[in-house]
PDB file of all heavy atoms in Angstrom:
ATOM      1  N   LYS A  63     123.807 114.053 124.606  1.00  0.00           N
ATOM      2  CA  LYS A  63     122.425 113.630 124.265  1.00  0.00           C
ATOM      3  C   LYS A  63     121.453 114.805 124.482  1.00  0.00           C
ATOM      4  O   LYS A  63     121.660 115.581 125.408  1.00  0.00           O
ATOM      5  CB  LYS A  63     122.004 112.450 125.151  1.00  0.00           C
ATOM      6  CG  LYS A  63     122.992 111.307 125.259  1.00  0.00           C
ATOM      7  CD  LYS A  63     123.191 110.607 123.925  1.00  0.00           C
ATOM      8  CE  LYS A  63     123.968 109.273 124.100  1.00  0.00           C
ATOM      9  NZ  LYS A  63     125.280 109.391 124.759  1.00  0.00           N
ATOM     10  N   PRO A  64     120.381 114.890 123.700  1.00  0.00           N
ATOM     11  CA  PRO A  64     120.153 113.984 122.576  1.00  0.00           C
ATOM     12  C   PRO A  64     121.063 114.307 121.388  1.00  0.00           C
ATOM     13  O   PRO A  64     121.393 115.481 121.187  1.00  0.00           O
ATOM     14  CB  PRO A  64     118.670 114.287 122.204  1.00  0.00           C
ATOM     15  CG  PRO A  64     118.429 115.668 122.626  1.00  0.00           C
ATOM     16  CD  PRO A  64     119.246 115.838 123.887  1.00  0.00           C
ATOM     17  N   ILE A  65     121.443 113.301 120.658  1.00  0.00           N
ATOM     18  CA  ILE A  65     122.221 113.484 119.445  1.00  0.00           C
ATOM     19  C   ILE A  65     121.261 113.730 118.275  1.00  0.00           C
ATOM     20  O   ILE A  65     120.308 113.001 118.089  1.00  0.00           O
ATOM     21  CB  ILE A  65     122.999 112.172 119.165  1.00  0.00           C
ATOM     22  CG1 ILE A  65     123.826 111.760 120.371  1.00  0.00           C
ATOM     23  CG2 ILE A  65     123.873 112.311 117.899  1.00  0.00           C
ATOM     24  CD1 ILE A  65     124.254 110.314 120.375  1.00  0.00           C
ATOM     25  N   LYS A  66     121.538 114.823 117.542  1.00  0.00           N
ATOM     26  CA  LYS A  66     120.634 115.188 116.454  1.00  0.00           C
ATOM     27  C   LYS A  66     121.507 115.276 115.177  1.00  0.00           C
ATOM     28  O   LYS A  66     122.257 116.244 115.014  1.00  0.00           O
ATOM     29  CB  LYS A  66     119.906 116.503 116.744  1.00  0.00           C
ATOM     30  CG  LYS A  66     118.993 116.392 117.959  1.00  0.00           C
ATOM     31  CD  LYS A  66     118.394 117.730 118.352  1.00  0.00           C
ATOM     32  CE  LYS A  66     117.431 118.251 117.370  1.00  0.00           C
ATOM     33  NZ  LYS A  66     116.728 119.502 117.821  1.00  0.00           N
ATOM     34  N   TRP A  67     121.395 114.302 114.299  1.00  0.00           N
ATOM     35  CA  TRP A  67     122.220 114.236 113.122  1.00  0.00           C
ATOM     36  C   TRP A  67     121.390 114.286 111.848  1.00  0.00           C
ATOM     37  O   TRP A  67     120.223 113.806 111.833  1.00  0.00           O
ATOM     38  CB  TRP A  67     123.076 112.949 113.134  1.00  0.00           C
ATOM     39  CG  TRP A  67     124.177 112.989 114.075  1.00  0.00           C
ATOM     40  CD1 TRP A  67     124.671 113.989 114.766  1.00  0.00           C
ATOM     41  CD2 TRP A  67     124.958 111.798 114.519  1.00  0.00           C
ATOM     42  NE1 TRP A  67     125.748 113.629 115.547  1.00  0.00           N
ATOM     43  CE2 TRP A  67     125.941 112.288 115.385  1.00  0.00           C
ATOM     44  CE3 TRP A  67     124.935 110.452 114.164  1.00  0.00           C
ATOM     45  CZ2 TRP A  67     126.872 111.436 115.983  1.00  0.00           C
ATOM     46  CZ3 TRP A  67     125.871 109.604 114.739  1.00  0.00           C
ATOM     47  CH2 TRP A  67     126.810 110.107 115.642  1.00  0.00           C
ATOM     48  N   MET A  68     121.966 114.752 110.779  1.00  0.00           N
ATOM     49  CA  MET A  68     121.385 114.727 109.457  1.00  0.00           C
ATOM     50  C   MET A  68     122.402 114.588 108.421  1.00  0.00           C
ATOM     51  O   MET A  68     123.586 114.968 108.572  1.00  0.00           O
ATOM     52  CB  MET A  68     120.474 115.941 109.261  1.00  0.00           C
ATOM     53  CG  MET A  68     121.203 117.265 109.052  1.00  0.00           C
ATOM     54  SD  MET A  68     121.533 117.685 107.367  1.00  0.00           S
ATOM     55  CE  MET A  68     122.151 119.364 107.562  1.00  0.00           C
ATOM     56  N   SER A  69     122.020 114.042 107.231  1.00  0.00           N
ATOM     57  CA  SER A  69     122.934 114.008 106.099  1.00  0.00           C
ATOM     58  C   SER A  69     122.102 113.682 104.841  1.00  0.00           C
ATOM     59  O   SER A  69     121.007 113.163 104.894  1.00  0.00           O
ATOM     60  CB  SER A  69     123.965 112.865 106.271  1.00  0.00           C
ATOM     61  OG  SER A  69     123.374 111.577 106.201  1.00  0.00           O
ATOM     62  N   THR A  70     122.660 114.080 103.702  1.00  0.00           N
ATOM     63  CA  THR A  70     122.125 113.762 102.395  1.00  0.00           C
ATOM     64  C   THR A  70     123.165 113.021 101.592  1.00  0.00           C
ATOM     65  O   THR A  70     124.321 113.518 101.511  1.00  0.00           O
ATOM     66  CB  THR A  70     121.735 115.074 101.638  1.00  0.00           C
ATOM     67  OG1 THR A  70     120.702 115.736 102.358  1.00  0.00           O
ATOM     68  CG2 THR A  70     121.219 114.728 100.245  1.00  0.00           C
ATOM     69  N   ARG A  71     122.814 111.876 101.040  1.00  0.00           N
ATOM     70  CA  ARG A  71     123.820 111.077 100.350  1.00  0.00           C
ATOM     71  C   ARG A  71     123.113 109.997  99.522  1.00  0.00           C
ATOM     72  O   ARG A  71     121.941 109.696  99.700  1.00  0.00           O
ATOM     73  CB  ARG A  71     124.802 110.489 101.290  1.00  0.00           C
ATOM     74  CG  ARG A  71     124.196 109.759 102.502  1.00  0.00           C
ATOM     75  CD  ARG A  71     125.089 108.684 103.023  1.00  0.00           C
ATOM     76  NE  ARG A  71     125.326 107.621 102.053  1.00  0.00           N
ATOM     77  CZ  ARG A  71     126.037 106.546 102.288  1.00  0.00           C
ATOM     78  NH1 ARG A  71     126.637 106.356 103.426  1.00  0.00           N
ATOM     79  NH2 ARG A  71     126.175 105.607 101.335  1.00  0.00           N
ATOM     80  N   PRO A  72     123.867 109.311  98.616  1.00  0.00           N
ATOM     81  CA  PRO A  72     123.259 108.235  97.845  1.00  0.00           C
ATOM     82  C   PRO A  72     123.366 106.889  98.595  1.00  0.00           C
ATOM     83  O   PRO A  72     124.232 106.691  99.450  1.00  0.00           O
ATOM     84  CB  PRO A  72     124.139 108.174  96.574  1.00  0.00           C
ATOM     85  CG  PRO A  72     125.479 108.681  97.065  1.00  0.00           C
ATOM     86  CD  PRO A  72     125.167 109.677  98.122  1.00  0.00           C
ATOM     87  N   PHE A  73     122.445 105.980  98.207  1.00  0.00           N
ATOM     88  CA  PHE A  73     122.423 104.599  98.703  1.00  0.00           C
ATOM     89  C   PHE A  73     122.195 103.693  97.502  1.00  0.00           C
ATOM     90  O   PHE A  73     121.811 104.104  96.432  1.00  0.00           O
ATOM     91  CB  PHE A  73     121.331 104.409  99.772  1.00  0.00           C
ATOM     92  CG  PHE A  73     121.528 105.257 100.986  1.00  0.00           C
ATOM     93  CD1 PHE A  73     120.906 106.550 101.040  1.00  0.00           C
ATOM     94  CD2 PHE A  73     122.300 104.879 102.040  1.00  0.00           C
ATOM     95  CE1 PHE A  73     121.085 107.348 102.135  1.00  0.00           C
ATOM     96  CE2 PHE A  73     122.482 105.681 103.117  1.00  0.00           C
ATOM     97  CZ  PHE A  73     121.849 106.920 103.194  1.00  0.00           C
ATOM     98  N   TRP A  74     122.459 102.377  97.763  1.00  0.00           N
ATOM     99  CA  TRP A  74     122.364 101.424  96.667  1.00  0.00           C
ATOM    100  C   TRP A  74     121.667 100.166  97.090  1.00  0.00           C
ATOM    101  O   TRP A  74     121.981  99.577  98.159  1.00  0.00           O
ATOM    102  CB  TRP A  74     123.764 101.088  96.190  1.00  0.00           C
ATOM    103  CG  TRP A  74     124.517 102.254  95.673  1.00  0.00           C
ATOM    104  CD1 TRP A  74     124.606 102.751  94.420  1.00  0.00           C
ATOM    105  CD2 TRP A  74     125.355 103.163  96.481  1.00  0.00           C
ATOM    106  NE1 TRP A  74     125.381 103.887  94.348  1.00  0.00           N
ATOM    107  CE2 TRP A  74     125.890 104.168  95.603  1.00  0.00           C
ATOM    108  CE3 TRP A  74     125.702 103.203  97.839  1.00  0.00           C
ATOM    109  CZ2 TRP A  74     126.686 105.189  96.064  1.00  0.00           C
ATOM    110  CZ3 TRP A  74     126.498 104.212  98.307  1.00  0.00           C
ATOM    111  CH2 TRP A  74     126.992 105.205  97.369  1.00  0.00           C
ATOM    112  N   ARG A  75     120.695  99.727  96.331  1.00  0.00           N
ATOM    113  CA  ARG A  75     120.028  98.470  96.547  1.00  0.00           C
ATOM    114  C   ARG A  75     119.789  97.791  95.218  1.00  0.00           C
ATOM    115  O   ARG A  75     119.317  98.410  94.272  1.00  0.00           O
ATOM    116  CB  ARG A  75     118.661  98.651  97.242  1.00  0.00           C
ATOM    117  CG  ARG A  75     118.768  99.075  98.694  1.00  0.00           C
ATOM    118  CD  ARG A  75     117.395  99.214  99.334  1.00  0.00           C
ATOM    119  NE  ARG A  75     117.427  99.773 100.627  1.00  0.00           N
ATOM    120  CZ  ARG A  75     116.431 100.413 101.242  1.00  0.00           C
ATOM    121  NH1 ARG A  75     115.264 100.520 100.606  1.00  0.00           N
ATOM    122  NH2 ARG A  75     116.583 100.856 102.454  1.00  0.00           N
ATOM    123  N   TYR A  76     120.006  96.506  95.162  1.00  0.00           N
ATOM    124  CA  TYR A  76     119.805  95.760  93.877  1.00  0.00           C
ATOM    125  C   TYR A  76     118.362  95.245  93.952  1.00  0.00           C
ATOM    126  O   TYR A  76     118.058  94.174  94.503  1.00  0.00           O
ATOM    127  CB  TYR A  76     120.771  94.591  93.752  1.00  0.00           C
ATOM    128  CG  TYR A  76     120.735  94.038  92.374  1.00  0.00           C
ATOM    129  CD1 TYR A  76     121.524  94.639  91.345  1.00  0.00           C
ATOM    130  CD2 TYR A  76     119.936  92.989  92.018  1.00  0.00           C
ATOM    131  CE1 TYR A  76     121.518  94.143  90.080  1.00  0.00           C
ATOM    132  CE2 TYR A  76     119.876  92.501  90.678  1.00  0.00           C
ATOM    133  CZ  TYR A  76     120.720  93.079  89.731  1.00  0.00           C
ATOM    134  OH  TYR A  76     120.676  92.619  88.441  1.00  0.00           O
ATOM    135  N   GLU A  77     117.440  96.037  93.374  1.00  0.00           N
ATOM    136  CA  GLU A  77     116.034  95.669  93.457  1.00  0.00           C
ATOM    137  C   GLU A  77     115.359  96.056  92.141  1.00  0.00           C
ATOM    138  O   GLU A  77     115.937  96.731  91.292  1.00  0.00           O
ATOM    139  CB  GLU A  77     115.342  96.368  94.648  1.00  0.00           C
ATOM    140  CG  GLU A  77     115.415  97.873  94.635  1.00  0.00           C
ATOM    141  CD  GLU A  77     114.825  98.469  95.927  1.00  0.00           C
ATOM    142  OE1 GLU A  77     114.383  97.690  96.775  1.00  0.00           O
ATOM    143  OE2 GLU A  77     114.785  99.693  96.026  1.00  0.00           O
ATOM    144  N   GLN A  78     114.091  95.663  92.022  1.00  0.00           N
ATOM    145  CA  GLN A  78     113.339  95.991  90.817  1.00  0.00           C
ATOM    146  C   GLN A  78     113.105  97.465  90.666  1.00  0.00           C
ATOM    147  O   GLN A  78     112.653  98.183  91.572  1.00  0.00           O
ATOM    148  CB  GLN A  78     111.958  95.250  90.863  1.00  0.00           C
ATOM    149  CG  GLN A  78     111.150  95.394  89.584  1.00  0.00           C
ATOM    150  CD  GLN A  78     111.824  94.786  88.380  1.00  0.00           C
ATOM    151  OE1 GLN A  78     112.439  93.730  88.462  1.00  0.00           O
ATOM    152  NE2 GLN A  78     111.746  95.415  87.214  1.00  0.00           N
ATOM    153  N   VAL A  79     113.422  98.020  89.491  1.00  0.00           N
ATOM    154  CA  VAL A  79     113.226  99.459  89.199  1.00  0.00           C
ATOM    155  C   VAL A  79     111.742  99.678  88.921  1.00  0.00           C
ATOM    156  O   VAL A  79     111.104  98.974  88.170  1.00  0.00           O
ATOM    157  CB  VAL A  79     114.088  99.865  88.028  1.00  0.00           C
ATOM    158  CG1 VAL A  79     113.894 101.342  87.714  1.00  0.00           C
ATOM    159  CG2 VAL A  79     115.571  99.607  88.350  1.00  0.00           C
ATOM    160  N   GLN A  80     111.194 100.713  89.562  1.00  0.00           N
ATOM    161  CA  GLN A  80     109.766 101.070  89.359  1.00  0.00           C
ATOM    162  C   GLN A  80     109.621 102.530  89.661  1.00  0.00           C
ATOM    163  O   GLN A  80     110.576 103.245  89.921  1.00  0.00           O
ATOM    164  CB  GLN A  80     108.863 100.195  90.254  1.00  0.00           C
ATOM    165  CG  GLN A  80     109.245 100.209  91.691  1.00  0.00           C
ATOM    166  CD  GLN A  80     108.418  99.237  92.525  1.00  0.00           C
ATOM    167  OE1 GLN A  80     107.255  99.552  92.811  1.00  0.00           O
ATOM    168  NE2 GLN A  80     108.987  98.128  92.902  1.00  0.00           N
ATOM    169  N   GLN A  81     108.316 103.006  89.632  1.00  0.00           N
ATOM    170  CA  GLN A  81     108.075 104.404  89.894  1.00  0.00           C
ATOM    171  C   GLN A  81     108.720 104.907  91.183  1.00  0.00           C
ATOM    172  O   GLN A  81     108.427 104.355  92.249  1.00  0.00           O
ATOM    173  CB  GLN A  81     106.577 104.698  89.933  1.00  0.00           C
ATOM    174  CG  GLN A  81     106.235 106.196  90.034  1.00  0.00           C
ATOM    175  CD  GLN A  81     104.816 106.499  90.511  1.00  0.00           C
ATOM    176  OE1 GLN A  81     104.307 105.812  91.385  1.00  0.00           O
ATOM    177  NE2 GLN A  81     104.169 107.428  89.869  1.00  0.00           N
ATOM    178  N   GLY A  82     109.592 105.866  91.095  1.00  0.00           N
ATOM    179  CA  GLY A  82     110.197 106.447  92.298  1.00  0.00           C
ATOM    180  C   GLY A  82     111.169 105.528  92.983  1.00  0.00           C
ATOM    181  O   GLY A  82     111.628 105.863  94.102  1.00  0.00           O
ATOM    182  N   ARG A  83     111.555 104.411  92.404  1.00  0.00           N
ATOM    183  CA  ARG A  83     112.504 103.494  93.021  1.00  0.00           C
ATOM    184  C   ARG A  83     113.623 103.145  92.042  1.00  0.00           C
ATOM    185  O   ARG A  83     113.343 102.643  90.971  1.00  0.00           O
ATOM    186  CB  ARG A  83     111.782 102.215  93.529  1.00  0.00           C
ATOM    187  CG  ARG A  83     112.767 101.208  94.159  1.00  0.00           C
ATOM    188  CD  ARG A  83     111.973 100.079  94.762  1.00  0.00           C
ATOM    189  NE  ARG A  83     111.368 100.519  96.036  1.00  0.00           N
ATOM    190  CZ  ARG A  83     110.571  99.741  96.773  1.00  0.00           C
ATOM    191  NH1 ARG A  83     110.348  98.467  96.390  1.00  0.00           N
ATOM    192  NH2 ARG A  83     110.008 100.200  97.880  1.00  0.00           N
ATOM    193  N   PHE A  84     114.880 103.443  92.453  1.00  0.00           N
ATOM    194  CA  PHE A  84     116.016 103.153  91.603  1.00  0.00           C
ATOM    195  C   PHE A  84     117.023 102.373  92.375  1.00  0.00           C
ATOM    196  O   PHE A  84     116.912 102.193  93.569  1.00  0.00           O
ATOM    197  CB  PHE A  84     116.611 104.474  91.083  1.00  0.00           C
ATOM    198  CG  PHE A  84     115.664 105.307  90.262  1.00  0.00           C
ATOM    199  CD1 PHE A  84     114.832 106.215  90.892  1.00  0.00           C
ATOM    200  CD2 PHE A  84     115.597 105.147  88.904  1.00  0.00           C
ATOM    201  CE1 PHE A  84     113.969 106.981  90.142  1.00  0.00           C
ATOM    202  CE2 PHE A  84     114.687 105.874  88.138  1.00  0.00           C
ATOM    203  CZ  PHE A  84     113.874 106.810  88.775  1.00  0.00           C
ATOM    204  N   ARG A  85     118.041 101.871  91.684  1.00  0.00           N
ATOM    205  CA  ARG A  85     119.091 101.083  92.377  1.00  0.00           C
ATOM    206  C   ARG A  85     120.123 101.983  93.030  1.00  0.00           C
ATOM    207  O   ARG A  85     120.758 101.523  93.981  1.00  0.00           O
ATOM    208  CB  ARG A  85     119.716 100.098  91.363  1.00  0.00           C
ATOM    209  CG  ARG A  85     118.762  98.994  90.975  1.00  0.00           C
ATOM    210  CD  ARG A  85     119.286  98.082  89.895  1.00  0.00           C
ATOM    211  NE  ARG A  85     118.322  97.003  89.704  1.00  0.00           N
ATOM    212  CZ  ARG A  85     118.391  96.124  88.723  1.00  0.00           C
ATOM    213  NH1 ARG A  85     119.355  96.216  87.837  1.00  0.00           N
ATOM    214  NH2 ARG A  85     117.473  95.181  88.568  1.00  0.00           N
ATOM    215  N   GLU A  86     120.216 103.162  92.566  1.00  0.00           N
ATOM    216  CA  GLU A  86     120.975 104.205  93.282  1.00  0.00           C
ATOM    217  C   GLU A  86     120.004 105.321  93.554  1.00  0.00           C
ATOM    218  O   GLU A  86     119.374 105.833  92.657  1.00  0.00           O
ATOM    219  CB  GLU A  86     122.133 104.746  92.427  1.00  0.00           C
ATOM    220  CG  GLU A  86     122.957 105.816  93.147  1.00  0.00           C
ATOM    221  CD  GLU A  86     124.100 106.399  92.334  1.00  0.00           C
ATOM    222  OE1 GLU A  86     123.803 106.859  91.185  1.00  0.00           O
ATOM    223  OE2 GLU A  86     125.224 106.335  92.796  1.00  0.00           O
TER     224      GLU A  86
END
């Protein structure tokens, strides 16, 4: 401790598509 983590990756949500918001 302290634990310091980072990552870059995709996520998925089934929601309404709009400006700057996608399902992936």
Side-chain angles (χ1 to χ4, degrees):
K63 310 295 192 303
I65 306 160
K66 297 173 68 174
W67 285 348
M68 69 94 170
S69 69
T70 297
R71 50 154 296 181
F73 299 92
W74 300 268
R75 288 181 188 159
Y76 194 85
E77 59 185 0
Q78 185 63 40
V79 178
Q80 53 185 284
Q81 185 197 43
R83 176 172 289 178
F84 299 89
R85 289 174 176 170
E86 180 181 56

